[in-house]
PDB file of all heavy atoms in Angstrom:
ATOM      1  N   LEU A  11      43.585 135.630 152.793  1.00  0.00           N
ATOM      2  CA  LEU A  11      42.905 136.000 151.560  1.00  0.00           C
ATOM      3  C   LEU A  11      42.460 137.452 151.598  1.00  0.00           C
ATOM      4  O   LEU A  11      42.477 138.155 150.599  1.00  0.00           O
ATOM      5  CB  LEU A  11      41.726 135.079 151.316  1.00  0.00           C
ATOM      6  CG  LEU A  11      42.109 133.669 150.797  1.00  0.00           C
ATOM      7  CD1 LEU A  11      40.863 132.764 150.758  1.00  0.00           C
ATOM      8  CD2 LEU A  11      42.764 133.749 149.447  1.00  0.00           C
ATOM      9  N   SER A  12      42.021 137.937 152.783  1.00  0.00           N
ATOM     10  CA  SER A  12      41.674 139.345 152.908  1.00  0.00           C
ATOM     11  C   SER A  12      42.876 140.234 152.683  1.00  0.00           C
ATOM     12  O   SER A  12      42.794 141.299 152.035  1.00  0.00           O
ATOM     13  CB  SER A  12      41.059 139.638 154.282  1.00  0.00           C
ATOM     14  OG  SER A  12      39.813 139.048 154.385  1.00  0.00           O
ATOM     15  N   GLY A  13      44.042 139.783 153.135  1.00  0.00           N
ATOM     16  CA  GLY A  13      45.292 140.520 152.868  1.00  0.00           C
ATOM     17  C   GLY A  13      45.596 140.554 151.394  1.00  0.00           C
ATOM     18  O   GLY A  13      46.009 141.597 150.843  1.00  0.00           O
ATOM     19  N   VAL A  14      45.427 139.409 150.709  1.00  0.00           N
ATOM     20  CA  VAL A  14      45.635 139.383 149.242  1.00  0.00           C
ATOM     21  C   VAL A  14      44.648 140.295 148.548  1.00  0.00           C
ATOM     22  O   VAL A  14      45.021 141.030 147.641  1.00  0.00           O
ATOM     23  CB  VAL A  14      45.495 137.911 148.742  1.00  0.00           C
ATOM     24  CG1 VAL A  14      45.473 137.879 147.220  1.00  0.00           C
ATOM     25  CG2 VAL A  14      46.635 137.055 149.270  1.00  0.00           C
ATOM     26  N   ASN A  15      43.410 140.292 149.017  1.00  0.00           N
ATOM     27  CA  ASN A  15      42.407 141.160 148.423  1.00  0.00           C
ATOM     28  C   ASN A  15      42.803 142.638 148.598  1.00  0.00           C
ATOM     29  O   ASN A  15      42.583 143.444 147.701  1.00  0.00           O
ATOM     30  CB  ASN A  15      41.041 140.904 149.061  1.00  0.00           C
ATOM     31  CG  ASN A  15      40.489 139.584 148.652  1.00  0.00           C
ATOM     32  OD1 ASN A  15      40.927 138.935 147.707  1.00  0.00           O
ATOM     33  ND2 ASN A  15      39.498 139.091 149.416  1.00  0.00           N
ATOM     34  N   LEU A  16      43.359 142.985 149.755  1.00  0.00           N
ATOM     35  CA  LEU A  16      43.802 144.353 149.971  1.00  0.00           C
ATOM     36  C   LEU A  16      44.866 144.745 148.976  1.00  0.00           C
ATOM     37  O   LEU A  16      44.857 145.851 148.435  1.00  0.00           O
ATOM     38  CB  LEU A  16      44.301 144.526 151.412  1.00  0.00           C
ATOM     39  CG  LEU A  16      43.255 144.715 152.511  1.00  0.00           C
ATOM     40  CD1 LEU A  16      43.914 144.710 153.888  1.00  0.00           C
ATOM     41  CD2 LEU A  16      42.474 145.988 152.314  1.00  0.00           C
ATOM     42  N   LEU A  17      45.818 143.854 148.753  1.00  0.00           N
ATOM     43  CA  LEU A  17      46.891 144.152 147.819  1.00  0.00           C
ATOM     44  C   LEU A  17      46.355 144.325 146.405  1.00  0.00           C
ATOM     45  O   LEU A  17      46.737 145.243 145.680  1.00  0.00           O
ATOM     46  CB  LEU A  17      47.948 143.033 147.852  1.00  0.00           C
ATOM     47  CG  LEU A  17      48.747 142.940 149.143  1.00  0.00           C
ATOM     48  CD1 LEU A  17      49.668 141.699 149.105  1.00  0.00           C
ATOM     49  CD2 LEU A  17      49.571 144.169 149.381  1.00  0.00           C
ATOM     50  N   LEU A  18      45.466 143.418 145.982  1.00  0.00           N
ATOM     51  CA  LEU A  18      44.890 143.499 144.629  1.00  0.00           C
ATOM     52  C   LEU A  18      44.078 144.788 144.481  1.00  0.00           C
ATOM     53  O   LEU A  18      44.169 145.502 143.451  1.00  0.00           O
ATOM     54  CB  LEU A  18      43.992 142.281 144.337  1.00  0.00           C
ATOM     55  CG  LEU A  18      44.745 140.969 144.162  1.00  0.00           C
ATOM     56  CD1 LEU A  18      43.756 139.807 144.121  1.00  0.00           C
ATOM     57  CD2 LEU A  18      45.603 140.987 142.920  1.00  0.00           C
ATOM     58  N   LEU A  19      43.289 145.085 145.484  1.00  0.00           N
ATOM     59  CA  LEU A  19      42.479 146.322 145.431  1.00  0.00           C
ATOM     60  C   LEU A  19      43.339 147.559 145.419  1.00  0.00           C
ATOM     61  O   LEU A  19      43.024 148.542 144.725  1.00  0.00           O
ATOM     62  CB  LEU A  19      41.496 146.377 146.597  1.00  0.00           C
ATOM     63  CG  LEU A  19      40.285 145.470 146.453  1.00  0.00           C
ATOM     64  CD1 LEU A  19      39.575 145.316 147.787  1.00  0.00           C
ATOM     65  CD2 LEU A  19      39.310 146.085 145.449  1.00  0.00           C
ATOM     66  N   GLY A  20      44.426 147.563 146.160  1.00  0.00           N
ATOM     67  CA  GLY A  20      45.307 148.696 146.143  1.00  0.00           C
ATOM     68  C   GLY A  20      45.938 148.910 144.782  1.00  0.00           C
ATOM     69  O   GLY A  20      46.021 150.059 144.315  1.00  0.00           O
ATOM     70  N   ALA A  21      46.293 147.806 144.137  1.00  0.00           N
ATOM     71  CA  ALA A  21      46.887 147.926 142.796  1.00  0.00           C
ATOM     72  C   ALA A  21      45.886 148.459 141.765  1.00  0.00           C
ATOM     73  O   ALA A  21      46.177 149.386 141.021  1.00  0.00           O
ATOM     74  CB  ALA A  21      47.436 146.550 142.347  1.00  0.00           C
ATOM     75  N   VAL A  22      44.681 147.859 141.736  1.00  0.00           N
ATOM     76  CA  VAL A  22      43.723 148.289 140.737  1.00  0.00           C
ATOM     77  C   VAL A  22      43.206 149.701 141.016  1.00  0.00           C
ATOM     78  O   VAL A  22      42.965 150.490 140.104  1.00  0.00           O
ATOM     79  CB  VAL A  22      42.553 147.302 140.558  1.00  0.00           C
ATOM     80  CG1 VAL A  22      43.029 145.993 140.008  1.00  0.00           C
ATOM     81  CG2 VAL A  22      41.753 147.134 141.803  1.00  0.00           C
ATOM     82  N   THR A  23      43.047 150.043 142.310  1.00  0.00           N
ATOM     83  CA  THR A  23      42.572 151.403 142.660  1.00  0.00           C
ATOM     84  C   THR A  23      43.633 152.431 142.269  1.00  0.00           C
ATOM     85  O   THR A  23      43.279 153.532 141.779  1.00  0.00           O
ATOM     86  CB  THR A  23      42.217 151.482 144.134  1.00  0.00           C
ATOM     87  OG1 THR A  23      41.229 150.498 144.434  1.00  0.00           O
ATOM     88  CG2 THR A  23      41.689 152.852 144.503  1.00  0.00           C
ATOM     89  N   ALA A  24      44.887 152.098 142.412  1.00  0.00           N
ATOM     90  CA  ALA A  24      45.977 153.026 141.982  1.00  0.00           C
ATOM     91  C   ALA A  24      45.911 153.251 140.463  1.00  0.00           C
ATOM     92  O   ALA A  24      46.055 154.381 139.993  1.00  0.00           O
ATOM     93  CB  ALA A  24      47.322 152.484 142.398  1.00  0.00           C
ATOM     94  N   VAL A  25      45.657 152.207 139.720  1.00  0.00           N
ATOM     95  CA  VAL A  25      45.531 152.351 138.242  1.00  0.00           C
ATOM     96  C   VAL A  25      44.315 153.202 137.934  1.00  0.00           C
ATOM     97  O   VAL A  25      44.363 154.085 137.043  1.00  0.00           O
ATOM     98  CB  VAL A  25      45.438 150.970 137.569  1.00  0.00           C
ATOM     99  CG1 VAL A  25      45.058 151.094 136.078  1.00  0.00           C
ATOM    100  CG2 VAL A  25      46.731 150.206 137.713  1.00  0.00           C
ATOM    101  N   TRP A  26      43.205 152.971 138.616  1.00  0.00           N
ATOM    102  CA  TRP A  26      41.990 153.748 138.338  1.00  0.00           C
ATOM    103  C   TRP A  26      42.202 155.234 138.703  1.00  0.00           C
ATOM    104  O   TRP A  26      41.694 156.088 137.980  1.00  0.00           O
ATOM    105  CB  TRP A  26      40.808 153.171 139.114  1.00  0.00           C
ATOM    106  CG  TRP A  26      40.382 151.834 138.649  1.00  0.00           C
ATOM    107  CD1 TRP A  26      40.528 151.311 137.398  1.00  0.00           C
ATOM    108  CD2 TRP A  26      39.719 150.821 139.403  1.00  0.00           C
ATOM    109  NE1 TRP A  26      40.005 150.051 137.365  1.00  0.00           N
ATOM    110  CE2 TRP A  26      39.488 149.743 138.582  1.00  0.00           C
ATOM    111  CE3 TRP A  26      39.303 150.753 140.735  1.00  0.00           C
ATOM    112  CZ2 TRP A  26      38.860 148.569 138.992  1.00  0.00           C
ATOM    113  CZ3 TRP A  26      38.663 149.613 141.182  1.00  0.00           C
ATOM    114  CH2 TRP A  26      38.444 148.519 140.330  1.00  0.00           C
ATOM    115  N   VAL A  27      42.902 155.504 139.790  1.00  0.00           N
ATOM    116  CA  VAL A  27      43.171 156.902 140.149  1.00  0.00           C
ATOM    117  C   VAL A  27      44.036 157.567 139.069  1.00  0.00           C
ATOM    118  O   VAL A  27      43.755 158.707 138.646  1.00  0.00           O
ATOM    119  CB  VAL A  27      43.876 157.010 141.542  1.00  0.00           C
ATOM    120  CG1 VAL A  27      44.458 158.380 141.799  1.00  0.00           C
ATOM    121  CG2 VAL A  27      42.899 156.620 142.648  1.00  0.00           C
ATOM    122  N   LEU A  41      34.548 153.454 139.748  1.00  0.00           N
ATOM    123  CA  LEU A  41      35.459 152.352 140.033  1.00  0.00           C
ATOM    124  C   LEU A  41      36.345 152.655 141.208  1.00  0.00           C
ATOM    125  O   LEU A  41      36.645 151.783 142.054  1.00  0.00           O
ATOM    126  CB  LEU A  41      36.318 152.046 138.783  1.00  0.00           C
ATOM    127  CG  LEU A  41      35.567 151.397 137.600  1.00  0.00           C
ATOM    128  CD1 LEU A  41      36.469 151.337 136.384  1.00  0.00           C
ATOM    129  CD2 LEU A  41      35.085 150.000 137.973  1.00  0.00           C
ATOM    130  N   ILE A  42      36.775 153.921 141.339  1.00  0.00           N
ATOM    131  CA  ILE A  42      37.591 154.324 142.502  1.00  0.00           C
ATOM    132  C   ILE A  42      36.765 154.177 143.788  1.00  0.00           C
ATOM    133  O   ILE A  42      37.270 153.666 144.787  1.00  0.00           O
ATOM    134  CB  ILE A  42      38.117 155.747 142.316  1.00  0.00           C
ATOM    135  CG1 ILE A  42      39.110 155.810 141.168  1.00  0.00           C
ATOM    136  CG2 ILE A  42      38.743 156.282 143.590  1.00  0.00           C
ATOM    137  CD1 ILE A  42      39.467 157.206 140.725  1.00  0.00           C
ATOM    138  N   ALA A  43      35.520 154.586 143.750  1.00  0.00           N
ATOM    139  CA  ALA A  43      34.660 154.441 144.937  1.00  0.00           C
ATOM    140  C   ALA A  43      34.435 152.964 145.261  1.00  0.00           C
ATOM    141  O   ALA A  43      34.491 152.587 146.437  1.00  0.00           O
ATOM    142  CB  ALA A  43      33.315 155.125 144.701  1.00  0.00           C
ATOM    143  N   PHE A  44      34.234 152.145 144.216  1.00  0.00           N
ATOM    144  CA  PHE A  44      34.107 150.690 144.421  1.00  0.00           C
ATOM    145  C   PHE A  44      35.325 150.130 145.094  1.00  0.00           C
ATOM    146  O   PHE A  44      35.245 149.383 146.082  1.00  0.00           O
ATOM    147  CB  PHE A  44      33.855 150.045 143.032  1.00  0.00           C
ATOM    148  CG  PHE A  44      33.889 148.557 143.038  1.00  0.00           C
ATOM    149  CD1 PHE A  44      32.765 147.818 143.441  1.00  0.00           C
ATOM    150  CD2 PHE A  44      35.014 147.852 142.604  1.00  0.00           C
ATOM    151  CE1 PHE A  44      32.811 146.437 143.421  1.00  0.00           C
ATOM    152  CE2 PHE A  44      35.044 146.505 142.581  1.00  0.00           C
ATOM    153  CZ  PHE A  44      33.934 145.785 143.002  1.00  0.00           C
ATOM    154  N   GLY A  45      36.527 150.484 144.593  1.00  0.00           N
ATOM    155  CA  GLY A  45      37.759 149.993 145.171  1.00  0.00           C
ATOM    156  C   GLY A  45      37.941 150.467 146.598  1.00  0.00           C
ATOM    157  O   GLY A  45      38.371 149.687 147.454  1.00  0.00           O
ATOM    158  N   ALA A  46      37.593 151.706 146.866  1.00  0.00           N
ATOM    159  CA  ALA A  46      37.764 152.251 148.213  1.00  0.00           C
ATOM    160  C   ALA A  46      36.839 151.527 149.225  1.00  0.00           C
ATOM    161  O   ALA A  46      37.275 151.198 150.319  1.00  0.00           O
ATOM    162  CB  ALA A  46      37.470 153.748 148.217  1.00  0.00           C
ATOM    163  N   VAL A  47      35.611 151.288 148.823  1.00  0.00           N
ATOM    164  CA  VAL A  47      34.675 150.594 149.723  1.00  0.00           C
ATOM    165  C   VAL A  47      35.164 149.176 150.014  1.00  0.00           C
ATOM    166  O   VAL A  47      35.155 148.702 151.144  1.00  0.00           O
ATOM    167  CB  VAL A  47      33.241 150.566 149.123  1.00  0.00           C
ATOM    168  CG1 VAL A  47      32.343 149.678 149.910  1.00  0.00           C
ATOM    169  CG2 VAL A  47      32.684 152.015 149.110  1.00  0.00           C
ATOM    170  N   LEU A  48      35.619 148.469 148.961  1.00  0.00           N
ATOM    171  CA  LEU A  48      36.118 147.111 149.186  1.00  0.00           C
ATOM    172  C   LEU A  48      37.413 147.103 149.990  1.00  0.00           C
ATOM    173  O   LEU A  48      37.656 146.135 150.751  1.00  0.00           O
ATOM    174  CB  LEU A  48      36.265 146.380 147.866  1.00  0.00           C
ATOM    175  CG  LEU A  48      34.978 145.830 147.279  1.00  0.00           C
ATOM    176  CD1 LEU A  48      35.285 145.055 145.992  1.00  0.00           C
ATOM    177  CD2 LEU A  48      34.270 144.933 148.263  1.00  0.00           C
ATOM    178  N   LEU A  49      38.228 148.135 149.828  1.00  0.00           N
ATOM    179  CA  LEU A  49      39.443 148.239 150.678  1.00  0.00           C
ATOM    180  C   LEU A  49      39.051 148.338 152.141  1.00  0.00           C
ATOM    181  O   LEU A  49      39.614 147.630 153.007  1.00  0.00           O
ATOM    182  CB  LEU A  49      40.263 149.428 150.249  1.00  0.00           C
ATOM    183  CG  LEU A  49      41.230 149.272 149.091  1.00  0.00           C
ATOM    184  CD1 LEU A  49      41.755 150.614 148.620  1.00  0.00           C
ATOM    185  CD2 LEU A  49      42.386 148.359 149.459  1.00  0.00           C
ATOM    186  N   VAL A  50      38.100 149.192 152.434  1.00  0.00           N
ATOM    187  CA  VAL A  50      37.627 149.340 153.835  1.00  0.00           C
ATOM    188  C   VAL A  50      37.026 148.032 154.329  1.00  0.00           C
ATOM    189  O   VAL A  50      37.275 147.589 155.452  1.00  0.00           O
ATOM    190  CB  VAL A  50      36.650 150.519 153.953  1.00  0.00           C
ATOM    191  CG1 VAL A  50      35.987 150.547 155.313  1.00  0.00           C
ATOM    192  CG2 VAL A  50      37.347 151.821 153.661  1.00  0.00           C
ATOM    193  N   GLU A  51      36.186 147.403 153.483  1.00  0.00           N
ATOM    194  CA  GLU A  51      35.528 146.152 153.886  1.00  0.00           C
ATOM    195  C   GLU A  51      36.562 145.075 154.235  1.00  0.00           C
ATOM    196  O   GLU A  51      36.412 144.364 155.246  1.00  0.00           O
ATOM    197  CB  GLU A  51      34.595 145.672 152.764  1.00  0.00           C
ATOM    198  CG  GLU A  51      33.694 144.528 153.129  1.00  0.00           C
ATOM    199  CD  GLU A  51      34.317 143.155 152.889  1.00  0.00           C
ATOM    200  OE1 GLU A  51      35.262 143.067 152.100  1.00  0.00           O
ATOM    201  OE2 GLU A  51      33.859 142.204 153.542  1.00  0.00           O
ATOM    202  N   ASN A  52      37.611 144.933 153.437  1.00  0.00           N
ATOM    203  CA  ASN A  52      38.613 143.915 153.734  1.00  0.00           C
ATOM    204  C   ASN A  52      39.450 144.275 154.975  1.00  0.00           C
ATOM    205  O   ASN A  52      39.827 143.401 155.739  1.00  0.00           O
ATOM    206  CB  ASN A  52      39.494 143.691 152.496  1.00  0.00           C
ATOM    207  CG  ASN A  52      38.829 142.774 151.509  1.00  0.00           C
ATOM    208  OD1 ASN A  52      38.824 141.547 151.736  1.00  0.00           O
ATOM    209  ND2 ASN A  52      38.282 143.294 150.446  1.00  0.00           N
ATOM    210  N   ALA A  53      39.718 145.556 155.152  1.00  0.00           N
ATOM    211  CA  ALA A  53      40.481 145.959 156.340  1.00  0.00           C
ATOM    212  C   ALA A  53      39.638 145.706 157.605  1.00  0.00           C
ATOM    213  O   ALA A  53      40.195 145.209 158.626  1.00  0.00           O
ATOM    214  CB  ALA A  53      40.845 147.449 156.225  1.00  0.00           C
ATOM    215  N   ARG A  80      35.705 134.716 150.984  1.00  0.00           N
ATOM    216  CA  ARG A  80      36.966 135.448 150.778  1.00  0.00           C
ATOM    217  C   ARG A  80      37.700 134.918 149.533  1.00  0.00           C
ATOM    218  O   ARG A  80      38.298 135.682 148.774  1.00  0.00           O
ATOM    219  CB  ARG A  80      37.861 135.318 151.995  1.00  0.00           C
ATOM    220  CG  ARG A  80      37.333 136.007 153.221  1.00  0.00           C
ATOM    221  CD  ARG A  80      37.430 137.501 153.008  1.00  0.00           C
ATOM    222  NE  ARG A  80      36.370 138.115 153.844  1.00  0.00           N
ATOM    223  CZ  ARG A  80      35.977 139.368 153.718  1.00  0.00           C
ATOM    224  NH1 ARG A  80      36.527 140.137 152.783  1.00  0.00           N
ATOM    225  NH2 ARG A  80      35.037 139.822 154.461  1.00  0.00           N
ATOM    226  N   GLN A  83      35.971 136.240 146.433  1.00  0.00           N
ATOM    227  CA  GLN A  83      36.327 137.652 146.239  1.00  0.00           C
ATOM    228  C   GLN A  83      37.750 137.768 145.700  1.00  0.00           C
ATOM    229  O   GLN A  83      38.041 138.608 144.825  1.00  0.00           O
ATOM    230  CB  GLN A  83      36.171 138.410 147.545  1.00  0.00           C
ATOM    231  CG  GLN A  83      36.349 139.900 147.374  1.00  0.00           C
ATOM    232  CD  GLN A  83      36.174 140.644 148.694  1.00  0.00           C
ATOM    233  OE1 GLN A  83      36.868 140.328 149.665  1.00  0.00           O
ATOM    234  NE2 GLN A  83      35.291 141.604 148.704  1.00  0.00           N
ATOM    235  N   ALA A  84      38.640 136.922 146.182  1.00  0.00           N
ATOM    236  CA  ALA A  84      40.022 136.966 145.692  1.00  0.00           C
ATOM    237  C   ALA A  84      40.084 136.588 144.215  1.00  0.00           C
ATOM    238  O   ALA A  84      40.842 137.215 143.444  1.00  0.00           O
ATOM    239  CB  ALA A  84      40.939 136.019 146.522  1.00  0.00           C
ATOM    240  N   ALA A  86      37.665 136.955 141.989  1.00  0.00           N
ATOM    241  CA  ALA A  86      37.063 138.071 141.236  1.00  0.00           C
ATOM    242  C   ALA A  86      38.024 139.249 141.141  1.00  0.00           C
ATOM    243  O   ALA A  86      38.181 139.840 140.080  1.00  0.00           O
ATOM    244  CB  ALA A  86      35.771 138.503 141.907  1.00  0.00           C
ATOM    245  N   LEU A  87      38.695 139.563 142.226  1.00  0.00           N
ATOM    246  CA  LEU A  87      39.661 140.671 142.234  1.00  0.00           C
ATOM    247  C   LEU A  87      40.888 140.346 141.395  1.00  0.00           C
ATOM    248  O   LEU A  87      41.472 141.220 140.752  1.00  0.00           O
ATOM    249  CB  LEU A  87      40.029 141.079 143.631  1.00  0.00           C
ATOM    250  CG  LEU A  87      38.911 141.709 144.449  1.00  0.00           C
ATOM    251  CD1 LEU A  87      39.352 141.920 145.886  1.00  0.00           C
ATOM    252  CD2 LEU A  87      38.470 143.042 143.816  1.00  0.00           C
ATOM    253  N   GLY A  88      41.283 139.064 141.387  1.00  0.00           N
ATOM    254  CA  GLY A  88      42.392 138.667 140.560  1.00  0.00           C
ATOM    255  C   GLY A  88      42.080 138.858 139.080  1.00  0.00           C
ATOM    256  O   GLY A  88      42.915 139.371 138.314  1.00  0.00           O
ATOM    257  N   LEU A  90      39.815 140.975 137.874  1.00  0.00           N
ATOM    258  CA  LEU A  90      39.686 142.395 137.676  1.00  0.00           C
ATOM    259  C   LEU A  90      41.098 143.063 137.595  1.00  0.00           C
ATOM    260  O   LEU A  90      41.328 143.924 136.745  1.00  0.00           O
ATOM    261  CB  LEU A  90      38.892 143.010 138.811  1.00  0.00           C
ATOM    262  CG  LEU A  90      38.533 144.499 138.690  1.00  0.00           C
ATOM    263  CD1 LEU A  90      37.691 144.757 137.468  1.00  0.00           C
ATOM    264  CD2 LEU A  90      37.796 144.958 139.933  1.00  0.00           C
ATOM    265  N   ALA A  91      41.997 142.595 138.456  1.00  0.00           N
ATOM    266  CA  ALA A  91      43.375 143.164 138.423  1.00  0.00           C
ATOM    267  C   ALA A  91      44.042 142.769 137.118  1.00  0.00           C
ATOM    268  O   ALA A  91      44.745 143.611 136.505  1.00  0.00           O
ATOM    269  CB  ALA A  91      44.168 142.650 139.574  1.00  0.00           C
ATOM    270  N   THR A  94      42.626 144.927 134.325  1.00  0.00           N
ATOM    271  CA  THR A  94      42.951 146.367 134.566  1.00  0.00           C
ATOM    272  C   THR A  94      44.387 146.668 134.250  1.00  0.00           C
ATOM    273  O   THR A  94      44.687 147.669 133.596  1.00  0.00           O
ATOM    274  CB  THR A  94      42.620 146.747 136.014  1.00  0.00           C
ATOM    275  OG1 THR A  94      41.244 146.533 136.277  1.00  0.00           O
ATOM    276  CG2 THR A  94      42.960 148.194 136.282  1.00  0.00           C
TER     277      THR A  94
END
Side-chain angles (χ1 to χ4, degrees):
L11 285 173
S12 290
V14 170
N15 291 343
L16 280 174
L17 293 175
L18 290 170
L19 282 164
V22 295
T23 302
V25 171
W26 292 334
V27 167
L41 289 172
I42 293 169
F44 172 80
V47 170
L48 281 182
L49 276 169
V50 171
E51 189 271 340
N52 278 284
R80 293 289 154 196
Q83 188 179 54
L87 291 173
L90 187 61
T94 299

